Amino acid sequence: MPEGPSVLQWGEVARQFTGRDIHRVEGNTKTVHKEDLVGCRLSDVKVYGKELFLQFVQISPEGDSEQGTWIRYHFLMWGSLRANEYKGVSRQSKTGKVPVPRLVLHFAKEEFLAFYGGSMYEVDSPACDRGTDILTASFDIEKAADAIQRAQPVCYTLLDQTCFSGLGNIIKNEVLYAGKVHPLQPGNLLSRQRALGVVEQALAFSATWMEHKDEHKKFKEHWKIYSKKECPLGHKTCRDWFGPEDGLQRLTTWCPTCQPLEGVTEENVYPKQRGSAKKRRSGPKKGRQLRRSASTVNQNAAGTEKEVSGNKKSATGKRKRGMAAESDPKKKPSQKRKNSAKRPVKGPDSDDDFCIGKKVNVPPRKQSKRGKICGSRNGLN
């Protein structure tokens, strides 16, 4: 998910088109009336947290601008913005198809602004400044420290956009490691000084990101814990999905040696969180198997065994069924067993007949096989 520094950078890209008229509008969006934007002018662009606000004003024939419309664009997980270029096929794409832009604003001189992914819809006005944007001078540090000391894991509070607008998963992991705070540490057990330290680390890391906003690959060198197998001190890190039950769970990396829990244990405070190894998503996707309980799996396995044993027709099974029929006098014999019981059996003339392989005369019988009669009417000679 794009974080505050990235959104602020995209806002600067969109501002280069302010004051220009829109000649044509494309895209697959269903929440914005594209035909109403044709002939409008991009008047203003504002950024607050992870949201981008664009103002469009209608130009009258006299050249006067009328009251405009605001469009809120949230990048969500994979949203992005491109100027004068279209997005190609991603390396992570499973379909290999070129992505279709959500909205494309065409200006003069064949220049355009393309929005991919995310969500957008019309609003009356942009978000008001509540002192929660970590990239603005009006950010309220004391108010943020109060939020950190809530009776919930600190990693939940840091991703709460009502308290820390623009703070994302990368900043969360780096801030917790810099402050030596465990992700599941209850905020109400932290001192005021520790809470203020976490807030100051968030501001410092965000400022460092802004300094290297044009060098994304080089900025990764500043990551100390995020997606790392070892911390800078050489300790092995842990990774798991953490998040509120009614919200999105995000991948969290931490060092259990450098970031110990204070006053509580993971099993006692949050037994359901530890070792979940499953990411909560908005809904099931194609090819994904839903999680089943142990009782359901055992029932299905028992049912499968019954079907296999019932459909299996082997000689061993026939012998077992025959032995069961003989042991049960009340059970009616089959028609084949009745015929064999009526047929007289004639023994050999002497015991030597078994050794020399002499043919023994038996009563004549008829057996149909593929329309032919096997044997002879006078017996086998």
Side-chain angles (χ1 to χ4, degrees):
M1 177 182 290
E3 306 191 22
S6 300
V7 177
L8 193 62
Q9 183 179 3
W10 279 323
E12 296 178 359
V13 174
R15 284 192 183 95
Q16 63 181 336
F17 295 95
T18 55
R20 303 184 60 178
D21 298 341
I22 300 173
H23 295 176
R24 185 162 52 93
V25 180
E26 296 177 338
N28 60 0
T29 178
K30 300 298 179 64
T31 57
V32 175
H33 300 286
K34 297 186 289 292
E35 60 278 2
D36 296 342
L37 298 179
V38 179
C40 292
R41 177 176 299 172
L42 181 59
S43 176
D44 194 7
V45 176
K46 292 185 177 181
V47 176
Y48 191 82
K50 299 181 180 181
E51 300 173 340
L52 185 67
F53 296 89
L54 302 97
Q55 186 184 29
F56 301 90
V57 295
Q58 189 71 33
I59 305 301
S60 62
E62 293 78 11
D64 300 332
S65 60
E66 301 177 359
Q67 186 177 3
T69 302
W70 286 93
I71 292 181
R72 171 191 176 272
Y73 177 66
H74 196 291
F75 290 87
L76 298 181
M77 288 295 297
W78 309 109
S80 63
L81 185 150
R82 300 292 179 95
N84 301 326
E85 64 175 352
Y86 290 103
K87 190 175 182 180
V89 180
S90 175
R91 296 180 180 178
Q92 300 177 352
S93 176
K94 298 181 179 180
T95 60
K97 297 181 180 179
V98 178
V100 179
R102 185 78 67 196
L103 182 70
V104 183
L105 305 176
H106 291 271
F107 303 93
K109 300 180 181 180
E110 297 182 355
E111 296 181 345
F112 60 89
L113 192 62
F115 299 84
Y116 287 91
S119 65
M120 55 175 55
Y121 53 86
E122 298 181 2
V123 294
D124 297 333
S125 61
C128 59
D129 189 358
R130 310 181 194 88
T132 59
D133 193 341
I134 59 176
L135 297 177
T136 59
S138 59
F139 181 74
D140 193 343
I141 298 179
E142 295 294 333
K143 182 179 179 180
D146 294 338
I148 290 292
Q149 291 186 301
R150 293 177 180 176
Q152 66 177 7
V154 179
C155 65
Y156 297 3
T157 307
L158 288 175
L159 292 182
D160 188 352
Q161 298 303 299
T162 61
C163 305
F164 296 89
S165 299
L167 195 149
N169 199 40
I170 298 177
I171 301 178
K172 178 201 74 175
N173 285 272
E174 295 298 328
V175 165
L176 292 175
Y177 178 77
K180 307 303 178 185
V181 179
H182 194 281
L184 297 181
Q185 177 67 42
N188 58 337
L189 299 182
L190 290 178
S191 63
R192 186 67 177 183
Q193 184 178 0
R194 294 286 302 280
L196 288 172
V198 172
V199 177
E200 292 175 357
Q201 292 290 345
L203 297 178
F205 187 82
S206 301
T208 305
W209 192 334
M210 290 302 300
E211 294 176 0
H212 301 81
K213 59 183 179 181
D214 298 330
E215 303 174 350
H216 180 66
K217 294 183 179 180
K218 292 185 178 180
F219 176 68
K220 289 185 178 181
E221 299 176 358
H222 295 270
W223 295 358
K224 297 181 179 180
I225 195 69
Y226 182 72
S227 70
K228 302 289 185 180
K229 295 182 179 180
E230 293 182 354
C231 74
L233 299 180
H235 305 140
K236 291 186 177 180
T237 60
C238 298
R239 302 177 68 186
D240 209 336
W241 301 95
F242 293 147
E245 295 182 358
D246 57 344
L248 184 65
Q249 296 185 3
R250 303 299 304 276
L251 183 62
T252 305
T253 308
W254 77 98
C255 176
T257 305
C258 302
Q259 301 170 252
L261 271 172
E262 299 179 4
V264 291
T265 59
E266 298 177 4
E267 293 77 8
N268 294 337
V269 182
Y270 307 104
K272 297 181 180 180
Q273 289 286 351
R274 191 71 181 94
S276 59
K278 291 289 183 180
K279 183 176 181 181
R280 180 184 182 275
R281 302 178 184 266
S282 57
K285 291 186 177 181
K286 184 178 180 181
R288 182 185 305 160
Q289 296 182 354
L290 299 180
R291 187 185 300 175
R292 298 177 295 176
S293 60
S295 59
T296 306
V297 175
N298 295 338
Q299 292 177 2
N300 295 343
T304 306
E305 293 179 358
K306 290 182 180 179
E307 293 178 2
V308 173
S309 61
N311 296 333
K312 186 176 181 181
K313 296 181 179 180
S314 61
T316 305
K318 290 181 180 180
R319 286 195 295 269
K320 289 183 178 180
R321 288 192 293 270
M323 294 173 62
E326 293 176 0
S327 60
D328 189 2
K330 296 182 180 180
K331 188 174 182 180
K332 297 181 179 180
S334 61
Q335 186 67 25
K336 188 174 181 180
R337 188 172 285 103
K338 289 182 180 179
N339 296 338
S340 61
K342 295 179 181 179
R343 187 184 308 125
V345 179
K346 184 178 180 180
D349 297 338
S350 64
D351 296 338
D352 297 336
D353 292 342
F354 286 107
C355 301
I356 61 178
K358 181 180 178 181
K359 294 181 179 180
V360 180
N361 294 330
V362 295
R365 65 187 182 90
K366 296 181 181 181
Q367 183 177 0
S368 176
K369 184 177 182 182
R370 295 185 180 180
K372 297 181 181 181
I373 298 177
C374 301
S376 63
R377 294 181 181 179
N378 298 329
L380 299 176
N381 298 323

